[in-house]
Amino acid sequence: MDLVQLQRQFVDYRTSLYHEGFLDEQFTQLQELQDENNPDFVVEVVSLFFEDSERLLNELARALEQQSIDYKRIDAHVHQLKGSSSSIGAQRVQKVCIAFRNYCEEQNVEGCLKCLQQVRHEYSLVKTKLESLFQVRLPCRREIFFLSKMVLP
Amino acid sequence: MLSCGGGSGGCSKDMAVELGDEPHVLAVDDNLIDRKLVERLLKNSSCKVTTAENALRALDYLGLGNDRLEGTVSEVNMIITDYCMPGMTGYELLKKIKESSVLKEVPVVIMSSENIPTRISQCLEEGAKMFMLKPLKQSDVKQLKWHLMKCRN
């Protein structure tokens, strides 16, 4: 597959992620911060997001299993997840977090459990999609730089 | 989105940024992804960046904490802090900075993911230079730097 085809594939895939609401404009912002001096910025930030989210999801599951549920603590974790998903442009994850926080405020355990399930689902979807997106990249850094510059939301 | 404070409490000559020097910014945020993002945004605007993961660490760095770092306090030209942080909030950090005779002239910018008008006016009244909505964009930071460099004149 030549460079033009790969570029097209990358752009098309990325465009579809925008249309399906998996990513929003903030992801474009991240890509614009990447340059020749920081060619791995997006991958680094997204990797941090994966690690941090997994930790938070585990904490949330644990917190919701407790006899006496600490809603403040749960809200704090969801607030973190909402913040980081917003910062990388993971729009669908962010949206579930908003609903999740509302259930926390209402101290609604059923609602919280439902949201946890939903947020886990959205997280794993966006993770898979981002991993696929990065696989379309070529190994050469210069080409990655040009690929990222080519993108149009 | 940016909200700016009034002209009061302008910059003293002592803390004015020298021509050609990179301003040194202390960025405070408990979210790992946001710290990485704000660091990149500031570095892309030619700022030297130090990050702190909470207000207490920030105070220690600034020489205002309980564990004063004697002789190691670096000059900071601006502080940018998240509002919602566990323990001490960004607002409380702002107050501590403004209470300090040494640091009260250092511009403080507050960031938040929540657009709450009373929160914004509370921060501006307490002396914050600006209030910024997260997620931050490059254009926000460029404008911020412009305001900071303006203090030179």
Side-chain angles (χ1 to χ4, degrees), chain A residues 6-149:
Chain A
L6 270 157
Q7 284 169 340
R8 197 176 302 136
Q9 192 178 73
F10 180 85
V11 171
D12 288 349
Y13 190 62
R14 198 174 145 287
T15 306
S16 74
L17 295 183
Y18 279 89
H19 285 154
E20 289 164 33
F22 285 105
L23 297 176
D24 65 24
E25 193 234 75
Q26 183 61 18
F27 189 74
T28 315
Q29 286 285 319
L30 283 192
Q31 292 189 290
E32 284 173 9
L33 290 175
Q34 188 162 282
D35 58 23
E36 285 179 314
N37 297 320
N38 303 281
D40 300 319
F41 179 69
V42 181
V43 170
E44 281 170 9
V45 177
V46 171
S47 302
L48 277 178
F49 171 71
F50 291 162
E51 266 175 54
D52 202 50
S53 300
E54 272 152 43
R55 178 187 63 87
L56 287 168
L57 290 169
N58 288 335
E59 295 281 347
L60 284 167
R62 230 196 319 270
L64 283 165
E65 279 166 15
Q66 301 305 310
Q67 281 270 10
S68 166
I69 295 176
D70 185 349
Y71 286 101
K72 271 191 95 173
R73 190 183 164 84
I74 293 172
D75 185 68
H77 290 321
V78 179
H79 175 78
Q80 285 285 313
L81 186 57
K82 176 172 159 280
S84 27
S85 56
S86 162
S87 292
I88 69 147
Q91 197 185 66
R92 282 161 64 146
V93 175
Q94 187 196 353
K95 286 203 166 123
V96 180
C97 288
I98 293 169
F100 204 152
R101 290 194 81 191
N102 289 335
Y103 284 123
C104 282
E105 211 178 296
E106 292 168 17
Q107 305 210 345
N108 182 335
V109 67
E110 292 292 319
C112 286
L113 285 167
K114 195 182 74 175
C115 280
L116 177 59
Q117 199 178 33
Q118 266 182 297
V119 83
R120 274 216 135 102
H121 176 68
E122 289 299 342
Y123 166 73
S124 80
L125 280 177
V126 79
K127 181 166 192 261
T128 307
K129 292 189 185 286
L130 285 168
E131 284 169 342
S132 302
L133 185 67
F134 294 136
Q135 270 160 34
V136 180
R137 294 163 70 199
L138 297 166
C140 167
R141 285 175 173 191
R142 188 164 201 90
E143 284 157 325
I144 292 164
F145 171 66
F146 283 119
L147 265 177
S148 69
K149 286 292 169 203

Side-chain angles (χ1 to χ4, degrees), chain B residues 99-113:
Chain B
E99 281 163 16
S100 153
S101 51
V102 180
L103 289 166
K104 65 181 179 189
E105 298 297 327
V106 178
V108 181
V109 174
I110 310 274
M111 311 180 269
S112 178
S113 54

